[in-house]
Amino acid sequence: MAYPVFKDPSFQDKLVAHLVKDGVFLKTAATYLKSEDFKPLPKQQEGWPRWIIGSLALSYWDKYRAPVRKMLKVEVLDYIQKNRVGEFQAKKLLQYVRWIRKQSLEAGDALLDKVLDFKRQKARVNAIDQILQQQEEGTLTDQAMLDICKGVVETFSPNGTHAVDFLSQKQVDLRVERRLRQNQSFLTPLFLIDPLDILINSIRRGQVGLWTGPSGRGKSLALIHTALAYVLQGYTTVVISLEDTKEDVEDRFDAALTQMPIRKLGELEKTFRIRFKRMRRMLRKKLIVIDATDQECTLPWIESQLEDLRDKGILVDALVIDYDDEIKPPKKYKAEASSRRMEFADIYRGLRRLAAKWYLYLWTAAQTTRESEKEKFLTGRHLAEDISKKRKVTIMIGIGNGGDVSPEALYLWVDKHKNDKKQVGTYIISDMDRGVFYNREKTKKLLDRMRGQTV
């Protein structure tokens, strides 16, 4: 069987780079790749660091369902200690770690196609060997031949599912180890809204979160805050603006980062530059803003943006869409009372699939009715157009009226949460002029004062 391409060192280096960094690639490739695939040929013993790193990356994904990324050095050091690796070999391993982390990612889909093609060829050869062996032994039946061929076809079918034996000891051990060792904050990044982080965890990868509120209540600021929170915690984040112009979005981000009034950004140029430079040092990943106000924004179009970025080697961790009403449905329904509801149902099903396929934290926002403007507790019944949105997201947080305690206050009500507490809420103080959704200092003072009054 021909496999020179698959065993080529440069090809395997590219594979290992994706295994270390690319969660989208891993979701499919880790099903088929094994540690032995990276074992060097007898004349390629210098490739053993690649073999070890590839094996560790696959093992990490198997345990935690996340790419090893920044934990790679930790995993390698742990491997060196447990296996008593010699000083020279340890140095080689750490050199390869530094080298592979610097490699750019490109052509992930092309690599995956090569992997699947190789595995298909190998599976076919193995299937033929099994059939011939059983034929020679006189044990080959029509059903046995059908099962062998069916196994090959179903394993590599594009519509196939990757089923596991949930009750098997291996799967139990993997789940236990994942829960024992996994860092909860890695799974669920913080909101960076202190009272909300105390109440609940946020969404995990592959899930959808929803901010809701009436017009002018701060939904866009909530999404901007969410995007900045992810970037501050080391997640590359894409913001797709569907309603507001590029200039408006840029001004809001600049104001939020520098804590300056939007109207003063142009007047106080030096102050802006100093504050922005200071804040930029704190941002640990990329923030990409896509102006889609002049686009026919559909789910396939959004996915094409993610594909373009991945082709450039930019792996997107979080996607923020402002906001749901501007997303075009997959198909238009006939003009009837329930047509918009059915369109939103299709949109939100598509968003869930998008988040799962691309291994993303996905947030968007939805409008509530005009009658909800004075309401403190915003729930599913206040949603405009389609209250079923609530059923299709992991978390729904309403931005209610907190005017009963302060003119600047908002009330965040967790109306729905699949994985944590719901029907809980907190006041926060915002500063709309500065594009600040959550003012930490003022919120703390408010909550301290309210606790004092309660006592």
Side-chain angles (χ1 to χ4, degrees):
M1 180 178 57
Y3 56 89
V5 173
F6 192 82
K7 285 296 184 179
D8 178 72
S10 62
F11 179 82
Q12 289 205 338
D13 283 334
K14 292 181 183 297
L15 276 183
V16 172
H18 278 274
L19 292 180
V20 167
K21 304 176 185 179
D22 190 349
V24 178
F25 182 84
L26 275 159
K27 283 188 68 178
T28 301
T31 304
Y32 305 109
L33 287 172
K34 306 299 178 188
S35 173
E36 292 75 19
D37 292 325
F38 296 94
K39 188 173 182 178
L41 296 171
K43 295 181 180 180
Q44 293 180 335
Q45 288 304 312
E46 71 278 1
W48 69 268
R50 184 190 311 115
W51 177 23
I52 301 301
I53 302 304
S55 302
L56 290 175
L58 286 170
S59 175
Y60 192 90
W61 174 264
D62 202 20
K63 292 175 183 176
Y64 309 125
R65 307 305 295 173
V68 63
R69 293 187 181 174
K70 293 182 179 179
M71 289 294 292
L72 179 59
K73 186 176 180 180
V74 175
E75 292 292 310
V76 170
L77 291 173
D78 186 53
Y79 173 86
I80 290 171
Q81 182 180 16
K82 287 181 178 178
N83 293 275
R84 298 182 179 181
V85 176
E87 184 178 348
F88 177 77
Q89 289 84 356
K91 184 178 179 180
K92 286 288 186 181
L93 273 175
L94 292 172
Q95 284 177 345
Y96 190 78
V97 169
R98 291 191 291 271
W99 183 81
I100 204 69
R101 288 176 64 175
K102 293 178 182 178
Q103 300 309 299
S104 61
L105 298 181
E106 55 190 3
D109 290 338
L111 286 174
L112 188 56
D113 287 342
K114 294 292 185 184
V115 170
L116 294 178
D117 185 54
F118 167 72
K119 289 294 184 175
R120 284 191 192 99
Q121 291 182 45
K122 190 173 180 180
R124 289 169 187 152
V125 170
N126 290 339
I128 292 171
D129 288 343
Q130 288 182 53
I131 292 171
L132 291 175
Q133 182 178 350
Q134 292 187 27
Q135 176 69 16
E136 290 176 1
E137 295 171 351
T139 59
L140 183 64
T141 63
D142 290 344
Q143 185 60 47
M145 186 170 180
L146 179 62
D147 289 342
I148 293 171
C149 295
K150 185 178 179 182
V152 175
V153 173
E154 288 184 349
T155 300
F156 295 98
S157 168
N159 299 318
T161 57
H162 306 303
V164 297
D165 181 359
F166 185 80
L167 300 179
S168 71
Q169 190 59 47
K170 178 184 176 182
Q171 292 300 318
V172 172
D173 292 342
L174 286 173
R175 294 197 298 275
V176 169
E177 187 169 0
R178 170 176 58 81
R179 286 189 284 261
L180 283 174
R181 294 181 59 187
Q182 201 158 34
N183 184 342
Q184 186 66 23
S185 65
F186 174 77
L187 271 177
T188 56
L190 299 172
F191 290 99
L192 295 190
I193 299 173
D194 299 335
L196 189 59
D197 284 320
I198 291 170
L199 286 176
I200 62 168
N201 290 316
S202 185
I203 59 173
R204 297 185 180 190
R205 287 181 182 271
Q207 297 179 341
V208 180
L210 180 66
W211 293 100
T212 69
S215 178
R217 181 57 56 78
K219 296 186 298 298
S220 292
L221 292 186
L223 291 174
I224 285 174
H225 177 93
T226 302
L228 290 176
Y230 279 114
V231 177
L232 282 165
Q233 292 173 83
Y235 297 96
T236 296
T237 303
V238 169
V239 177
I240 298 180
S241 177
L242 304 177
E243 183 182 39
D244 298 314
T245 65
K246 179 183 178 183
E247 290 76 14
D248 288 339
V249 175
E250 289 174 346
D251 289 349
R252 287 173 183 169
F253 270 109
D254 283 340
L257 280 168
T258 60
Q259 303 281 292
M260 293 176 62
I262 292 176
R263 64 180 182 278
K264 294 288 187 179
L265 291 173
E267 299 175 23
L268 304 175
E269 177 195 345
K270 290 184 178 179
T271 303
F272 164 74
R273 289 184 179 277
I274 292 171
R275 291 189 180 184
F276 189 87
K277 185 178 180 179
R278 182 170 65 240
M279 284 300 301
R280 186 167 56 186
R281 288 197 294 266
M282 298 174 62
L283 300 179
R284 297 165 55 197
K285 281 289 183 177
K286 293 181 182 292
L287 173 65
I288 299 164
V289 179
I290 299 176
D291 178 15
T293 52
D294 59 349
Q295 296 290 331
E296 186 81 7
C297 183
T298 63
L299 292 170
W301 181 84
I302 294 174
E303 189 163 4
S304 72
Q305 304 307 300
L306 298 175
E307 289 172 349
D308 288 345
L309 289 170
R310 185 164 176 252
D311 288 342
K312 296 173 183 176
I314 300 174
L315 301 177
V316 179
D317 297 301
L319 175 63
V320 176
I321 303 173
D322 186 11
Y323 67 108
D324 71 348
D325 192 52
E326 299 297 327
I327 302 174
K328 302 299 179 184
K331 66 176 181 178
K332 297 288 289 183
Y333 289 89
K334 294 180 180 179
E336 53 186 63
S338 62
S339 61
R340 190 57 175 152
R341 177 183 62 80
M342 291 187 289
E343 289 173 358
F344 271 119
D346 288 344
I347 288 170
Y348 273 81
R349 274 192 289 268
L351 290 175
R352 283 192 312 197
R353 293 190 190 106
L354 186 73
K357 176 180 178 181
W358 285 87
Y359 196 56
L360 297 168
Y361 306 100
L362 196 157
W363 281 89
T364 189
Q367 188 96 333
T368 56
T369 60
R370 186 177 300 175
E371 291 75 21
S372 69
E373 290 181 359
K374 296 181 180 180
E375 297 289 336
K376 176 179 177 180
F377 303 95
L378 295 187
T379 66
R381 67 182 177 85
H382 294 112
L383 284 169
E385 303 288 358
D386 180 20
I387 64 172
S388 73
K389 296 175 185 178
K390 176 180 173 179
R391 294 197 298 269
K392 296 178 176 65
V393 298
T394 300
I395 299 177
M396 189 180 87
I397 305 175
I399 308 172
N401 190 334
D404 56 326
V405 297
S406 168
E408 295 177 297
L410 303 173
Y411 192 78
L412 306 184
W413 178 246
V414 184
D415 190 47
K416 192 263 181 84
H417 200 319
K418 285 185 178 180
N419 305 318
D420 207 339
K421 291 182 291 186
K422 57 185 175 182
Q423 308 296 300
V424 294
T426 180
Y427 289 100
I428 65 167
I429 297 293
S430 64
D431 188 340
M432 300 294 181
D433 288 341
R434 285 177 167 79
V436 175
F437 181 67
Y438 165 65
N439 186 302
R440 176 176 280 106
E441 183 178 349
K442 290 184 178 180
T443 298
K444 186 178 185 302
K445 288 181 180 178
L446 171 66
L447 297 179
D448 287 346
R449 185 174 75 246
M450 292 177 67
R451 280 192 287 270
Q453 291 172 351
T454 301
V455 173

